[in-house]
Amino acid sequence: MTGFIARQIDQIRQGGGAELWRRIKLAKPILLGLPLYVLATPAVVVIRLMKPWLIVRLGSLTSTSIGHFAANTELYFCERDAGINMPMQRSIDFFYLRKPICNKQLTIMWKRVLRIWPAWFLGLVDGANRLIPGGAVHEIGNNTQNDRDVHNLLDQFAPHLQFTIEEEARGEAGLRAMGIPSGTPFICLTVRDSAYLTAHLRDGDYSYHNYRDSDIQNYVLAAEELANRGYYVIRMGVKVHAAINSSHPKVVDYATNGMRSDFMDIYLGAKCMFCISVGTGFDAVPLIFRRPIAYVNMVPIGYFFTFRDTFLGIFKHHFSMRHNRELSLAQILTHGVGFCLRASAYESAGVQVIENTPQEIRDLVVEMAERLNGTWQSHDDDEVLQKRFWELFPKDALDAHRRRPLHGDIRARFGACFLRNNCEWLQ
């Protein structure tokens, strides 16, 4: 009998029943878990009975990815404080974590301010609640736009995480161990490559993200320029393809020198003067601690983080293989590649995304450093160029999935030197 069933399933999979086979695979975890969901049903009944007096809500944290684990959770707090996406009635929220958990220190800190219960129990209750009709009110839904602060709340509320006195001392000791004197400003540098996701989330193919990758060696010029100005530059990363090729004593390759830890990842992100990022997961740590961020090699352009005035950025170049020329900002949008979230979408459009030059990266991070220390000198036409850029930028864009705004009030700036040197890009 078992062999007969296996043969029938194999025929469905290989024949014309592809959609049915897909549904079977999706339903399999639910079917296997049904006995356990039945055991969790009494807890669901209790939660439902409490509804007239107290709404109990359940949900999981996106704990497999540091970007969402940090930013989504902080924005949950901000929206809660602002009364957004919250029930009108008195409520209490409980969370559980999904594995593999990306950072132990962030887990410790969220547990101080959230009710986080074991997944083996709360995950079952949450699953049972979702299976039984009428449970939507007991689900903790997504933020308005996941990790995007479309309500500009980060400027309205203080960070919801704090270090203990013991953790502050531990962090200072970690800095000294890296050769960074107490009180000396440092800058975090995080550059995406595919090494981390390949090692951390082994069950999936994440090559569709590769259009976001960047070569760490293109950042040496910028790192050493900042180092020559007295800053320490700390190259971040849990797992990376290559070390940064710099022998400057103030450029610290923390990602490869054996000193990396979950704790120091969070401490460094929280305490840096600013972060240089390509728009990848780690930059959510400085984000939730309200640190400035300089974005380089940003793609897709429509997803540029615009909601704080301490954000500064430039995009990757977009080269049309069909027309054998670089596309202007307006042409990037008319060619339909301003919101591409997969490498294959750029390939289908015949567009190659090309990294910023080392000089462009250097100019952007120097602008950030000088804006922060008060020495930045504007040119007469900078505001005209800035205004033109934001006139062309798709400020009212909606995301492709939920059709919700990607941007709130526009507060970020685009790199001044890039605009000065590429005026034709704004035509």
Side-chain angles (χ1 to χ4, degrees):
M1 185 68 177
T2 303
F4 172 78
I5 294 173
R7 287 193 299 272
Q8 295 304 306
I9 291 177
D10 191 57
Q11 289 177 12
I12 292 172
R13 181 174 56 188
Q14 297 180 12
E19 176 60 22
L20 178 58
W21 175 245
R22 186 186 70 83
R23 292 181 182 181
I24 289 173
K25 288 198 295 182
L26 289 174
K28 186 178 178 181
I30 296 176
L31 293 174
L32 292 176
L34 275 178
L36 295 175
Y37 289 138
V38 169
L39 292 175
T41 299
V44 176
V45 172
V46 172
I47 288 170
R48 300 283 180 94
L49 290 173
M50 293 172 63
K51 181 182 172 184
W53 302 278
L54 177 69
I55 295 178
V56 176
R57 301 198 307 167
L58 314 173
S60 63
L61 297 176
T62 314
S63 47
T64 59
S65 164
I66 194 166
H68 294 294
F69 195 24
N72 291 37
T73 312
E74 176 67 14
L75 287 174
Y76 155 82
F77 272 109
C78 292
E79 291 196 352
R80 184 199 66 179
D81 293 350
I84 298 171
N85 291 324
M86 292 296 294
M88 297 297 292
Q89 187 180 335
R90 181 169 170 254
S91 63
I92 186 170
D93 291 349
F94 294 89
F95 295 90
Y96 58 97
L97 303 178
R98 294 191 179 276
K99 294 183 178 180
I101 296 171
C102 62
N103 186 283
K104 295 178 182 178
Q105 175 63 23
L106 199 54
T107 301
I108 290 169
M109 297 178 80
W110 284 134
K111 283 184 175 181
R112 292 176 191 151
V113 293
L114 287 172
R115 299 176 185 88
I116 298 178
W117 283 24
W120 64 264
F121 170 71
L122 202 63
L124 285 174
V125 178
D126 186 29
N129 176 66
R130 292 170 187 267
L131 285 174
I132 301 171
V137 69
H138 300 288
E139 298 173 14
I140 302 173
N142 293 326
N143 302 328
T144 302
Q145 193 53 278
N146 294 316
D147 60 347
R148 301 183 64 84
D149 183 19
V150 294
H151 299 295
N152 302 96
L153 299 176
L154 291 172
D155 285 338
Q156 297 182 40
F157 300 102
H160 290 84
L161 292 182
Q162 302 291 332
F163 293 98
T164 65
I165 295 174
E166 292 77 12
E167 286 170 341
E168 291 283 2
R170 181 181 172 190
E172 284 295 317
L175 289 174
R176 289 194 297 273
M178 285 190 279
I180 302 175
S182 179
T184 303
F186 63 88
I187 294 160
C188 290
L189 167 63
T190 178
V191 176
R192 185 191 190 280
D193 63 32
S194 59
Y196 174 72
L197 280 184
T198 302
H200 182 64
L201 300 176
R202 299 177 183 177
D203 295 335
D205 178 6
Y206 298 94
S207 60
Y208 67 90
H209 274 299
N210 288 353
Y211 69 94
R212 298 167 53 207
D213 287 356
S214 195
D215 184 352
I216 186 61
Q217 311 315 335
N218 289 336
Y219 295 78
V220 173
L221 181 66
E224 293 187 346
E225 173 66 30
L226 292 170
N228 289 334
R229 291 172 177 240
Y231 304 104
Y232 281 83
V233 179
I234 304 175
R235 189 272 183 98
M236 307 298 295
V238 175
K239 189 173 183 62
V240 297
H241 283 311
I244 187 170
N245 292 333
S246 175
S247 58
H248 198 295
K250 290 189 175 181
V251 176
V252 181
D253 200 343
Y254 164 81
T256 65
N257 68 4
M259 303 185 74
R260 204 229 121 239
S261 69
D262 280 8
F263 171 78
M264 286 304 294
D265 283 356
I266 306 306
Y267 190 82
L268 292 170
K271 301 295 183 176
C272 62
M273 178 180 176
F274 68 91
C275 177
I276 304 166
S277 176
V278 299
T280 191
F282 170 78
D283 63 40
V285 178
L287 171 78
I288 67 173
F289 286 97
R290 314 305 193 263
R291 310 312 302 150
I293 302 176
Y295 294 102
V296 297
N297 284 311
M298 276 292 298
V299 275
I301 68 169
Y303 282 78
F304 180 38
F305 289 103
T306 57
F307 38 82
R308 299 199 72 211
D309 60 10
T310 54
F311 291 169
L312 183 68
I314 53 177
F315 305 147
K316 279 189 175 182
H317 298 271
H318 292 61
F319 187 84
S320 171
M321 307 297 287
R322 185 180 308 164
H323 299 98
N324 195 33
R325 59 178 170 81
E326 184 174 352
L327 299 177
S328 68
L329 177 56
Q331 289 167 342
I332 291 170
L333 297 170
T334 57
H335 277 65
V337 290
F339 299 89
C340 291
L341 296 171
R342 289 180 170 268
S344 58
Y346 291 96
E347 294 171 6
S348 298
V351 172
Q352 181 181 3
V353 287
I354 300 172
E355 291 187 44
N356 295 128
T357 67
Q359 292 76 19
E360 289 171 341
I361 298 170
R362 176 203 59 198
D363 291 345
L364 192 281
V365 302
V366 167
E367 178 180 352
M368 174 63 91
E370 292 184 349
R371 285 187 179 279
L372 292 175
N373 67 22
T375 62
W376 173 251
Q377 298 293 318
S378 296
H379 288 195
D380 291 341
D381 59 348
D382 280 351
E383 292 309 312
V384 174
L385 293 171
Q386 198 73 208
K387 181 180 178 182
R388 176 59 178 159
F389 170 82
W390 291 112
E391 287 173 349
L392 294 169
F393 185 81
K395 299 185 292 292
D396 299 327
L398 307 178
D399 73 83
H401 302 293
R402 295 193 293 168
R403 307 305 297 167
R404 294 186 179 183
L406 287 169
H407 306 278
D409 292 341
I410 304 296
R411 299 180 181 177
R413 291 185 68 89
F414 199 76
C417 291
F418 186 95
L419 295 179
R420 294 172 194 166
N421 297 330
N422 298 276
C423 293
E424 71 283 355
W425 189 66
L426 295 178
Q427 300 303 315

